[in-house]
């Protein structure tokens, strides 16, 4: 029997979910678990560190006696400890004591954001390790020295490396999609990555949320358009590279290919430094990153657990995977429409230059003249932070980039005689001359189709280069290191090197300038091939295995297995007008045979409905929405949207709009410009956007013409909803659309949803604010532990009750309330602003009315009083929301 600790109703709903905890005190909660998995206990605690309050959660599981290693999990920038709760619970079930925390300035933690300041956030981690050393559950290597690993993504990934460099008690790390040197990330080669820098400040809540010196640095660089030495020194001091020679623990480095913020060369620098210190290192290039794409969370988190099992628990037999792995996209399956991801591996990390092959740049003039336009406008477009569709589509062979004539030089190879896999950073040597001494160029490599009509920029990546001495008589000769990529170029295609003077994501010099660029040396493009990296073979056709030697029994088994990969079912004409029907949907947790995220879920949504998807944390709401949008595949069951079965990339998904994890907007562009750029990236005709209709429903008014950086949180949310509504999709999915909004803004968001559904469209909204769901939604689906608890109209779900509201002509006196409470069959009677709230405990409503008449109570009404909150808590049995 698993222990469940009941919590007060208020602690389960909306903003009231936070318990008031004194500094140094804590609250203990049992977390629901499925099947035979051990129960997880969570202890909430606020810790005081130099006057700053740090919000923490400590997770342990009933996994038997004895002490266990500890893991610290950090969150990404702009997030909080809640973002890593699911991973923390999984690690706890696997035998770890896990501590999560919200970094300074995020979540419920106080203080100013220091961008992993060694005297702020890094010291906080050391104090957390001190606390772990005092816990009776945690294994110690020595007094005050717990056995501990640190992991996290992005901001949290950097803190894992910094902790290992500053605190010798850290025993293993697993950083994900993070930076080695923050100055190199935001100011590569001395060029300001202005859009990402602006998004950093915006995501943190504005300049005032940061330490004063960081805010002053950002404003100084934003105005100058160029970082100074002080700016670089400040960010470098906050970077793992500053303590790189002291990071001597096993490191699993996970880095994203679709990542213009922290490209693969940051992982390369980490790997080389830590390997040079003599510590075990493995490198994993995942498909996604800060620019979108598949983050492969289940696989990555499983590998992190294995890494810690080996280096924290000391389980030497644990397979931690290859020294190097890269995920490769093989297009779309012709059988089920799923994006094909395959791993390629090597028993050693190849770096970014292995197996170089030189390709002659034969096409195009050897010397080319072009210009930097005044004001650096119009800029070329490559990576656009917040518009992840660009990098994702490039992985499927769709080009979405723009270079303006007269603003770049371009050199091409001849058509390739055979397929070529590029793995690493191509390089080209050029001479640069300018009428100004300080020149800035942006280099990229395109994959150009055989007919020349299509060009693809792998992961939409570009590398800036600041060239000093370009104004000299002979110019300056430089080796241009182009973006690190993993990309296959087909036979007959060509590689095109483009060196441009502008790029939308960067701060280019505003002064007009003339450039001359010519190829140097042998005029070749050096392309790394990493030939020792082998891609996993595709599954063989069933008939290969159907040879006589295998036998009829095995052939039958293979045919049964192949059913799961059958072609998508034909559309169901009977459901052509039904926005959504889910039937027996099931999804198991990764690496588990009997733990379910969603189990046997079935419900139907009709046109014009605003459906609220409710459930406590871990109920399976987000998993359900991700399956609905084709982002993950169910283990069994079916989802049909307007009669079409959902698969990744299903055409019917064009009728679905979604707002799930928040939208990243370019802060210096207007709201309208952001929406136009997003729609452009979809590749659909401008007239199909129906932008004016979406904007009218969103109600942004004149704010559309203002820069997004001036928007309030509520306005940003409405702009994100407007983005989801572009094209006026028939089905709109909103996940927690009111997060971070104040009551007036929540009311405005409610009106937006109601207006959208008024024309017969359908809205599905997942939210913890039960009062808002009750007022906004027409229908509800309540889930708990992956199962459907109830579905139906709001009025039907809130209808039945044993609590009645008694209203009278005058105010109910306390004496009358006491008399009613003392009647037989009455559980309680409480005065409220509306009247007298009476809970029946055996008595019938008619009996209560008779007794009230006998007491000469001037009745004006007696009726049921059950709020959605009461119904919700009754259905889920008090699980933590």
């Amino acid at each position: 029997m698993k222990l469940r600790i009941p919590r007060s109703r208020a602690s389960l709903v909306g903003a009231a979910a936070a318990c008031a905890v004194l500094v140094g005190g804590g609250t203990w909660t049992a977390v629901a678990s499925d099947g035979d998995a051990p129960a997880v206990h969570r202890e909430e605690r606020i810790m005081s560190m130099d006057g700053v309050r740090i919000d923490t959660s400590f997770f342990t599981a009933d996994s038997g006696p004895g002490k266990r290693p500890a893991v610290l999990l950090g969150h990404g920038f702009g997030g909080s400890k809640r973002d890593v709760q699911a991973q923390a619970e999984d690690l706890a079930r696997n035998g770890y004591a896990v501590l999560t925390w919200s970094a300074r300035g995020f979540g419920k933690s106080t203080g100013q954001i220091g961008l992993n300041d060694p005297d702020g956030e890094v010291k906080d981690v050391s104090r957390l390790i001190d606390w772990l050393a005092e816990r009776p559950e945690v294994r110690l290597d020595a007094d005050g020295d717990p056995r501990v690993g640190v992991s996290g993504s992005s901001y949290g990934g950097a803190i894992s490396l910094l902790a290992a460099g500053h605190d010798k008690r850290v025993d293993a790390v697993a950083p994900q999609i993070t930076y080695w040197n923050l100055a190199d990330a935001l100011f590569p080669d001395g060029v300001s990555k202005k859009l990402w820098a602006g998004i950093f400040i915006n995501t943190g809540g504005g300049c005032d949320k940061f330490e004063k010196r960081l805010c002053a640095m950002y404003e100084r660089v934003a105005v100058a358009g160029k970082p100074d030495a002080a700016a670089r020194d400040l960010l470098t001091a906050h970077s793992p590279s500053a303590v790189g020679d002291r990071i001597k623990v096993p490191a699993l480095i996970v880095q994203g290919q679709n990542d213009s913020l922290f490209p693969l060369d940051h992982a390369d620098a980490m790997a080389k430094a830590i390997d040079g210190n003599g510590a075990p290192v493995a490198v994993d290039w995942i498909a996604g990153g800060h620019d979108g794409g598949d983050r492969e969370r289940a696989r990555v988190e499983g590998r992190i657990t294995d890494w810690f099992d080996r280096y924290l628990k000391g389980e030497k037999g644990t397979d931690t995977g290859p020294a190097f792995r890269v995920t490769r996209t093989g297009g779309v399956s012709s059988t089920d429409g799923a994006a094909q991801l395959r791993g390629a591996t090597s028993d050693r990390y190849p770096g970014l230059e292995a197996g170089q092959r030189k390709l002659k740049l034969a096409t195009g003039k050897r010397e080319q003249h072009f210009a930097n336009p005044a004001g650096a406008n119009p800029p070329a477009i490559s990576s656009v932070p917040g518009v992840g569709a660009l990098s994702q589509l490039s992985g499927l062979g769709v080009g979405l980039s723009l270079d303006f004539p007269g603003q770049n030089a371009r050199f091409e190879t001849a058509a390739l005689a055979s397929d070529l896999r590029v793995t690493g950073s191509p390089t080209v040597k050029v001479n640069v001359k300018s009428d100004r001494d300080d020149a800035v160029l942006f280099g990229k490599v395109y994959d150009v189709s055989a007919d020349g009509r299509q060009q693809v920029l792998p992961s939409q990546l570009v590398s800036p280069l600041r060239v000093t001495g370009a104004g000299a008589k002979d110019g300056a000769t430089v080796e241009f290191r182009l973006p690190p990529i993993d990309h296959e170029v087909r036979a007959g295609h060509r590689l095109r090197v483009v060196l441009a003077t502008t790029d939308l994501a960067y701060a280019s010099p505003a002064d007009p300038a003339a450039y001359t660029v010519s190829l140097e040396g042998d005029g070749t493009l050096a392309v790394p091939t990493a030939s020792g990296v082998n891609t996993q073979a595709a599954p063989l056709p069933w008939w290969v295995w159907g040879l006589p030697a295998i036998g009829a029994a095995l052939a039958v088994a293979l045919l049964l297995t192949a059913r799961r990969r059958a072609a998508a079912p034909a559309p169901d004409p009977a459901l052509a007008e039904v926005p959504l029907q889910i039937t027996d949907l099931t999804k198991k947790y990764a690496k588990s045979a009997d733990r379910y995220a969603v189990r046997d879920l079935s419900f139907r949504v009709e046109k014009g409905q605003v459906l609220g998807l409710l459930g406590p944390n871990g109920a399976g709401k987000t998993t359900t929405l991700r399956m609905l949008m084709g982002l993950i595949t169910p283990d069994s069951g079916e989802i049909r949207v307007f009669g079409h079965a959902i698969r990744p990339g299903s055409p019917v998904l064009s009728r679905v709009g979604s707002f799930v994890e928040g939208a990243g907007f370019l802060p210096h562009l207007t709201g309208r410009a952001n929406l136009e750029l997003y729609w452009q990236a979809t590749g659909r005709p401008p007239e199909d956007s129906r932008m004016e209709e979406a904007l009218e429903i969103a109600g942004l008014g004149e704010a559309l013409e203002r820069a997004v950086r001036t928007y309030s949180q509520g306005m940003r949310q409405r702009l994100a909803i407007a983005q989801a509504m572009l094209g006026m999709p028939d089905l709109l999915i909103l996940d927690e659309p009111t997060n971070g909004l104040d009551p007036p803004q929540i009311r405005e968001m409610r009106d937006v949803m109601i207006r959208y559904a008024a024309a017969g469209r359908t809205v599905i909204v997942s939210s913890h604010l039960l009062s808002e769901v009750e007022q906004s939604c027409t229908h509800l689906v309540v889930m708990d532990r992956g199962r459907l608890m109830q579905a139906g109209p709001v009025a039907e779900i809130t209808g039945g009750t044993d609590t009645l509201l008694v209203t009278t002509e005058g105010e109910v006196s306390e004496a009358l309330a006491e008399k009613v409470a003392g009647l037989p069959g009455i559980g309680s009677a409480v005065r409220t602003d509306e009247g007298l709230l009476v809970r029946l405990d055996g008595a019938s409503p008619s009996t209560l009315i008779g007794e009230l008449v006998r007491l000469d109570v001037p009745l004006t009404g007696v009726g049921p009083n059950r709020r959605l909150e009461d119904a919700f808590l009754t259905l889920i049995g008090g699980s933590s929301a």
Side-chain angles (χ1 to χ4, degrees), residues 600-676:
D600 300 327
L601 181 68
S602 299
F603 64 89
R604 176 170 169 148
V605 187
E606 303 288 353
K607 282 187 175 181
Q609 291 182 357
V610 180
L611 179 118
L613 187 61
L614 298 180
N617 287 335
K621 304 187 300 295
T622 299
T623 300
T624 300
L625 293 181
R626 294 187 71 202
M627 287 190 284
L628 167 56
M629 291 181 289
L631 299 176
I632 57 176
T633 304
D635 295 325
S636 61
E638 185 177 67
I639 304 172
R640 285 188 179 266
V641 172
F642 296 104
H644 294 264
I646 291 298
R647 297 287 189 274
S650 296
V652 75
L653 288 173
S654 65
R655 299 179 68 181
V656 179
S658 65
F659 169 74
V660 177
E661 296 180 350
F665 294 113
L666 308 184
H668 302 291
L669 295 184
T670 66
R672 183 182 293 275
N674 269 283
L675 296 182
E676 290 173 346

Side-chain angles (χ1 to χ4, degrees), residues 433-507:
K433 296 179 183 178
S434 175
D435 55 2
R436 297 185 181 276
D437 190 59
D438 189 26
V440 173
L441 293 173
F442 300 92
K444 42 197 164 183
V445 180
Y446 288 101
D447 175 355
V448 183
S449 63
D451 59 9
R453 294 180 180 179
Q454 186 179 32
Q455 62 176 17
V456 171
L457 182 59
S459 298
Q460 300 298 132
L461 294 177
V462 59
S463 288
L465 177 69
R466 187 175 293 277
V467 182
T468 56
K473 178 182 177 182
D474 295 327
T477 297
V478 294
E479 183 177 68
F480 210 133
R481 183 169 296 278
L482 298 158
I485 56 174
D486 183 77
H487 180 78
E488 185 172 32
V489 187
R490 294 292 185 183
H493 286 214
R494 291 164 287 143
L495 290 174
R496 175 182 294 158
V497 177
V498 172
L499 306 180
T501 57
T502 61
D503 192 88
L504 177 65
Y506 293 81

Side-chain angles (χ1 to χ4, degrees), residues 299-601:
R299 183 186 68 80
V300 169
E301 290 178 6
R303 189 172 185 188
I304 290 171
T305 300
D306 292 340
W307 191 260
F308 286 154
D309 286 350
R310 170 65 182 86
Y311 293 107
L312 295 182
K313 290 183 178 178
E315 296 177 355
K316 295 184 179 180
T318 300
D319 182 6
T320 59
F324 176 65
R325 184 191 188 281
V326 53
T327 296
R328 290 175 172 169
T329 303
V332 177
S333 169
S334 61
T335 57
D336 62 5
Q340 293 182 320
L341 298 181
R342 296 179 192 159
T345 61
S346 173
D347 58 4
R348 65 178 183 83
Y349 172 58
L352 301 180
E353 302 171 356
Q356 281 196 345
R357 175 179 167 185
K358 292 193 173 184
L359 303 177
K360 188 73 174 177
L361 292 168
T363 307
K365 294 180 180 178
R366 190 175 179 89
E367 181 177 278
Q368 299 186 33
H369 306 276
F370 53 103
N372 180 53
N377 278 311
I381 298 175
S382 51
S383 61
V384 183
V387 186
L390 295 179
S391 56
Q392 294 173 59
L393 289 172
S394 72
L396 297 174
V398 180
L400 289 169
S401 54
L402 182 63
D403 295 296
F404 289 96
Q407 293 179 203
N408 60 76
R410 55 182 62 196
F411 307 96
E412 289 186 7
T413 68
L416 299 182
S418 59
D419 293 350
L420 173 68
R421 170 69 67 170
V422 182
T423 302
S425 294
T427 57
V428 62
K429 185 175 286 187
V430 295
N431 179 269
V432 181
K433 296 179 183 178
S434 175
D435 55 2
R436 297 185 181 276
D437 190 59
D438 189 26
V440 173
L441 293 173
F442 300 92
K444 42 197 164 183
V445 180
Y446 288 101
D447 175 355
V448 183
S449 63
D451 59 9
R453 294 180 180 179
Q454 186 179 32
Q455 62 176 17
V456 171
L457 182 59
S459 298
Q460 300 298 132
L461 294 177
V462 59
S463 288
L465 177 69
R466 187 175 293 277
V467 182
T468 56
K473 178 182 177 182
D474 295 327
T477 297
V478 294
E479 183 177 68
F480 210 133
R481 183 169 296 278
L482 298 158
I485 56 174
D486 183 77
H487 180 78
E488 185 172 32
V489 187
R490 294 292 185 183
H493 286 214
R494 291 164 287 143
L495 290 174
R496 175 182 294 158
V497 177
V498 172
L499 306 180
T501 57
T502 61
D503 192 88
L504 177 65
Y506 293 81
S508 306
D511 294 332
Y515 291 82
T516 299
V517 170
S518 56
L519 295 172
E520 285 288 305
D522 56 5
T524 60
L525 175 68
V527 177
T529 62
S531 55
V533 179
N534 299 310
T535 304
Q536 296 170 0
L540 292 173
W542 70 266
W543 47 263
V544 173
W545 297 98
L547 297 174
I550 298 176
L554 183 55
V556 171
L558 283 169
L559 285 170
L560 291 174
T561 303
R563 287 181 183 175
R564 293 187 62 186
R565 295 175 302 200
D572 186 345
L575 298 176
E577 297 301 315
V578 178
L580 175 65
Q581 177 159 304
I582 290 178
T583 307
D584 298 330
L585 195 66
T586 295
K587 181 71 176 178
K588 292 179 181 177
Y589 286 108
K591 299 177 68 174
S592 174
D594 57 1
R595 292 184 56 240
Y596 293 85
V598 176
R599 189 167 189 177
D600 300 327
L601 181 68

